[in-house]
Amino acid sequence: MRARRWLEVGVALLVLAAGLHGLAFFELHRLEPTPALTELPLAVSLAAWLLVLSFLALQLRLRTRGLAVLVAPAAFLGTVFAAFSAAAPGSGEAGSALWSHLHVLLASGGLALLGVAGAAGALYLIHHRALKQHRVGVRSALPSLENLDRANALASALGFLLLSLGVVTGVLWVETREGRLWPGGLHANATLAVWALYAALTARRLAAKQGARQTALGATAGFALLLVAVIGVGVLR
Amino acid sequence: MSLLLVGMSHRTASLELRERFATEDLRPVLSKLVASPEIDEAVLLSTCNRVELMVWTREVDAARLRLRSCFERELGSDGLQLRAGDLDASLYELVDGAAVRHVLRVACAIDSMVVGEPQILGQVKDAYRAALACGACGPILGRLYSCAFATAKRVRNETRLAERPVSVARVAVDLARQIFESLEDKAALLVGAGDMIELALESLRRHGLGTVRVANRTPARAAALATRFGASAHGLEELPELLARSDLVLTCIGGDRPLLTATLVREALRERGHRPLFAIDIGVPRNIDAAADQLDNVYLYDLDDLAALAESNARERQREIEQAESIVQAEQQRFEGWLLALAAVPTIRALRARAEEIRRTELERGLSGVVLDAKANAAVEALTRGIVNKLLHAPLSRLREELEGEAGLAHLEAARSLFGLDDPSAPGPLERQSAQARSDEDPEASG
């Protein structure tokens, strides 16, 4: 019971934090109508904000408050990273702003939703393990396996769609900027590989060829790889 | 005046006996009870686990006989044949503090067969409402039952008594809820038709499980059980097909070897698209091959697992019970303080009356032959009244405060003794006041 109350408090704080984060974006847009979204810190900050919004939106459909234990720290770390490595105002790309902004917005949305799917997957694996080892109490603050699986499915489907659109807009951005379709490079190639992995996972799921545990494992591993491809490579550059 | 409770419960009487005394029509019994001269207020609680009569009486011994006779004549079903002493051995009697404590414990489900179960509070509320509706419940029992409801609310909010199920069926339902979000759209397969399966079936139905199928070696027994609980009956040869269509499987059937092999479970999983399957095997020897637990998306719990969970809950629950008991004790003390304060009203009135009488007598004696104008007379009246009030203020305040504590009654008696309130040689007017005070306390005394 106490754990559930703490979760309620945590979710309320997340709502407050998302509101304040939104105000910060509004202020940034007021100061700089086309902010440097293509800069990694700002993109990470956007992804962290969208992660929390995706989680909160999910609560409207499914009782998965327990995801807050993974979503909140991830959003916090993303925001701290962005705050301590903020891009200088006006450092964004001036040309092809439409495609670059669309690319970053869609890719960040996809990253956020796949992050929620990854969190649901990780929590599923933890709960599954406890149930398998008969180490559970009869009451648990964790969401039911069924709800975690549904959250995973919903967030994965939407996240994969946004990620796919992010890849397409990325291609269009490169085409308008450099006149070629594929830029190559570690970031683009790694992201494409992870996209292909997600496509395979989605196909397997739709074909009902795997159980919920494998789906959870796929979502968790997929998101870890996506983080490396999108943020890890960006940090290394 | 005393509180008296006479009753029988699952602790003292068999189900068969309790069934014969349980009644749904409470009003005729209550009306008859309060019509008797020794009983002022009454509440009758009748559930499948207890039948109890609680009364506020001016004559405990007479009320005791009346309540026992009520059990024999009013509550016992027609044609009831009891062995001599059967009823006596099943009935318990509790007076005053013990009765108050019992009512509070019952409302909090500490005295229930399944400690912490939520139904009893509703049943106590129904009993109270029925007594109110027929005018059998007055201010004393009204206050007692309000106190019981408040205590139950505190226990529910401040302890986790209701969160610790100890029955295997409840543990199974709670575990199922960790796997499935809702049981309403789920299907259960129960293999066997014995008592455990019946209990589980009852519990699953109560928790809103959607579809229930019962499979048994003897289809007739499965059919009998299925009919009672709105389930469908099947033979064991249908198990492979039924397994694929079930989310929750509960088995408790005799047999030397496992009925559900790992291969059978694996095939069922494939057929159901690898959706999770929660299996509970409470058969001895086991009915489901333990190797099935190694399969992904299968959660297999046997009797030992469930018993360990129930045992761990029982230990946790014991701690919660101790906490609940201390809440009951505090609320009991509060109620008894209120009851005592009620008993103090005549004493306080008598004390004030005696003081007023002395003031008036002394004033008349002191001022005889003295002529005062109206202003001076009013000043003397106010002065003497002020002295009396100031003198009485401290002892009366202290008396009221002490009544809340354990030594309240002793203080009350000390006050009556110190001020000679029960002294028959007191002057005439005081005697009248004391008699008046006693009649306030006991309306029958003056009649």
Side-chain angles (χ1 to χ4, degrees):
Chain A
M1 187 64 88
R2 278 168 205 147
R4 284 176 196 187
R5 288 213 177 117
W6 278 116
L7 272 178
E8 279 170 20
V9 172
V11 172
L13 287 175
L14 273 178
V15 170
L16 184 67
L20 291 174
H21 205 155
L23 279 177
F25 275 119
F26 179 76
E27 182 64 11
L28 180 66
H29 176 67
R30 200 176 60 78
L31 291 172
E32 192 184 349
T34 50
L37 280 185
T38 49
E39 287 301 316
L40 186 65
L42 205 48
V44 170
S45 176
L46 181 65
W49 183 54
L50 291 174
L51 174 72
V52 174
L53 289 185
S54 310
F55 162 74
L56 294 175
L58 198 67
Q59 301 315 301
L60 300 175
R61 279 187 66 90
L62 299 167
R63 285 194 309 163
T64 47
R65 274 188 199 142
L67 284 177
V69 298
L70 295 177
V71 167
F76 176 72
L77 287 176
T79 312
V80 167
F81 167 79
F84 284 96
S85 51
S91 62
E93 290 201 25
S96 58
L98 172 67
W99 292 124
S100 65
H101 276 74
L102 267 179
H103 168 70
V104 174
L105 277 171
L106 289 167
S108 297
L111 187 70
L113 281 162
L114 291 172
V116 170
L123 225 52
Y124 186 103
L125 293 175
I126 291 168
H127 202 175
H128 163 86
R129 193 175 158 81
L131 279 164
K132 270 291 196 187
Q133 296 182 344
H134 306 164
R135 282 192 291 107
V136 289
V138 286
R139 294 287 165 100
S140 168
L142 289 175
S144 65
L145 290 185
E146 188 177 34
N147 252 5
L148 286 170
D149 186 43
R150 282 182 189 158
N152 185 353
L154 188 65
S156 289
L158 287 173
F160 179 62
L161 179 70
L162 291 187
L163 185 68
S164 305
L165 291 172
V167 170
V168 171
T169 49
V171 167
L172 290 170
W173 173 27
V174 170
E175 203 274 332
T176 54
R177 191 180 58 178
E178 300 174 16
R180 54 183 177 142
L181 277 178
W182 192 249
L186 201 52
H187 169 71
N189 292 338
T191 307
L192 189 66
V194 177
W195 179 85
L197 174 74
Y198 270 114
L201 287 174
T202 308
R204 264 186 80 80
R205 173 151 195 139
L206 289 175
K209 285 198 170 168
Q210 64 180 16
R213 193 185 74 83
Q214 289 87 341
T215 307
L217 200 59
T220 311
F223 182 64
L225 290 174
L226 189 63
L227 270 186
V228 172
V230 176
I231 297 177
V233 171
V235 170
L236 287 176
R237 268 195 298 197
Chain B
M1 296 292 284
S2 294
L3 286 163
L4 171 69
L5 183 140
V6 175
M8 61 169 66
S9 74
H10 58 96
R11 294 184 194 281
T12 60
S14 65
L15 176 62
E16 189 193 5
L17 196 64
R18 295 198 308 270
E19 274 173 352
R20 296 163 93 176
F21 286 94
T23 178
E24 286 185 3
D25 199 3
L26 311 177
R27 294 183 187 195
V29 180
L30 288 170
S31 300
K32 261 189 189 173
L33 278 178
V34 288
S36 59
E38 67 275 10
I39 293 172
D40 282 12
E41 299 178 29
V43 171
L44 167 58
L45 173 66
S46 176
T47 74
C48 53
N49 280 330
R50 66 182 68 244
V51 182
E52 288 174 348
L53 277 163
M54 177 74 176
V55 296
W56 174 240
T57 173
R58 64 195 62 238
E59 181 48 65
V60 176
D61 290 331
R64 181 178 287 136
L65 292 174
R66 174 82 61 184
L67 296 188
R68 281 182 175 268
S69 142
C70 177
F71 264 92
E72 282 167 15
R73 293 179 190 167
E74 311 291 336
L75 292 171
S77 50
D78 292 340
L80 178 66
Q81 303 245 318
L82 286 175
R83 281 195 307 262
D86 260 4
L87 184 60
D88 282 344
S90 305
L91 289 179
Y92 45 82
E93 290 176 6
L94 302 164
V95 183
D96 290 336
V100 171
R101 183 164 178 266
H102 182 79
V103 169
L104 302 192
R105 292 180 86 248
V106 167
C108 299
I110 301 175
D111 198 56
S112 293
M113 188 181 265
V114 177
V115 176
E117 50 97 3
Q119 288 88 4
I120 186 67
L121 183 59
Q123 290 164 332
V124 175
K125 281 183 178 171
D126 288 345
Y128 169 65
R129 279 192 209 110
L132 264 185
C134 65
C137 186
I140 306 298
L141 290 189
R143 176 81 179 206
L144 172 61
Y145 281 87
S146 298
C147 176
F149 304 145
T151 309
K153 192 176 175 186
R154 272 192 69 190
V155 167
R156 199 175 57 231
N157 291 339
E158 295 174 29
T159 74
R160 297 195 290 170
L161 199 62
E163 291 178 35
R164 303 278 175 191
V166 293
S167 75
V168 166
R170 264 301 300 276
V171 169
V173 166
D174 284 346
L175 279 175
R177 285 203 168 128
Q178 293 196 37
I179 297 168
F180 308 114
E181 182 59 20
S182 155
L183 296 181
E184 283 168 19
D185 55 347
K186 300 295 177 299
L189 168 64
L190 277 64
V191 184
D195 289 347
M196 288 297 278
I197 290 290
E198 187 177 335
L199 274 175
L201 189 49
E202 198 182 344
S203 184
L204 290 172
R205 271 290 185 228
R206 204 169 46 238
H207 289 89
L209 198 97
T211 311
V212 182
R213 303 181 183 102
V214 183
N216 194 37
R217 275 200 193 88
T218 319
R221 286 192 68 189
L225 201 58
T227 310
R228 273 178 61 201
F229 292 97
S232 58
H234 305 267
L236 290 186
E237 68 284 355
E238 295 177 67
L239 273 184
E241 186 207 337
L242 294 174
L243 197 57
R245 289 194 281 145
S246 307
D247 304 291
L248 194 154
V249 180
L250 199 147
T251 65
C252 185
I253 193 168
D256 297 337
R257 62 184 67 176
L259 204 63
L260 301 178
T261 61
T263 313
L264 194 68
V265 176
R266 188 183 296 116
E267 278 168 16
L269 262 185
R270 202 170 46 238
E271 265 188 64
R272 51 190 276 107
H274 299 278
R275 280 182 289 120
L277 178 70
F278 179 37
I280 305 152
D281 180 1
I282 46 178
V284 180
R286 286 188 281 185
N287 306 136
I288 304 177
D289 186 352
D293 196 28
Q294 304 303 315
L295 298 171
D296 245 358
N297 303 310
V298 173
Y299 303 92
L300 174 60
Y301 280 69
D302 63 22
L303 195 56
D304 283 352
D305 299 322
L306 296 184
L309 273 171
E311 176 61 28
S312 128
N313 280 348
R315 278 197 302 272
E316 288 285 327
R317 175 168 283 189
Q318 193 50 45
R319 276 200 285 274
E320 301 300 329
I321 288 175
E322 281 162 21
Q323 203 183 333
E325 292 279 19
S326 65
I327 292 173
V328 164
Q329 195 179 352
E331 293 295 332
Q332 179 190 349
Q333 216 166 345
R334 190 185 298 204
F335 175 77
E336 286 174 350
W338 175 81
L339 207 55
L340 214 51
L342 210 61
V345 171
T347 302
I348 290 169
R349 273 194 201 150
L351 192 53
R352 281 192 179 283
R354 163 156 287 195
E356 175 61 16
E357 183 57 32
I358 292 170
R359 184 190 72 83
R360 210 149 7 102
T361 311
E362 293 306 312
L363 206 57
E364 279 166 16
R365 189 187 300 160
L367 295 181
S368 64
V370 179
V371 180
L372 293 174
D373 61 18
K375 201 175 171 186
N377 201 31
V380 171
E381 276 282 329
L383 174 74
T384 52
R385 227 181 267 278
I387 291 170
V388 166
N389 284 343
K390 279 202 162 57
L391 275 173
L392 285 181
H393 178 73
L396 289 183
S397 301
R398 180 60 60 86
L399 189 61
R400 284 196 192 99
E401 280 168 23
E402 293 298 333
L403 286 171
E404 298 283 329
E406 284 176 8
L409 197 59
H411 277 84
L412 199 61
E413 279 169 9
R416 295 193 76 85
S417 166
L418 282 173
F419 290 99
L421 299 181
D422 297 320
D423 185 0
S425 65
L430 179 60
E431 224 172 14
R432 282 203 306 276
Q433 293 284 357
S434 295
Q436 179 61 41
R438 276 197 296 277
S439 72
D440 285 347
E441 187 184 9
D442 182 0
E444 293 292 317
S446 58

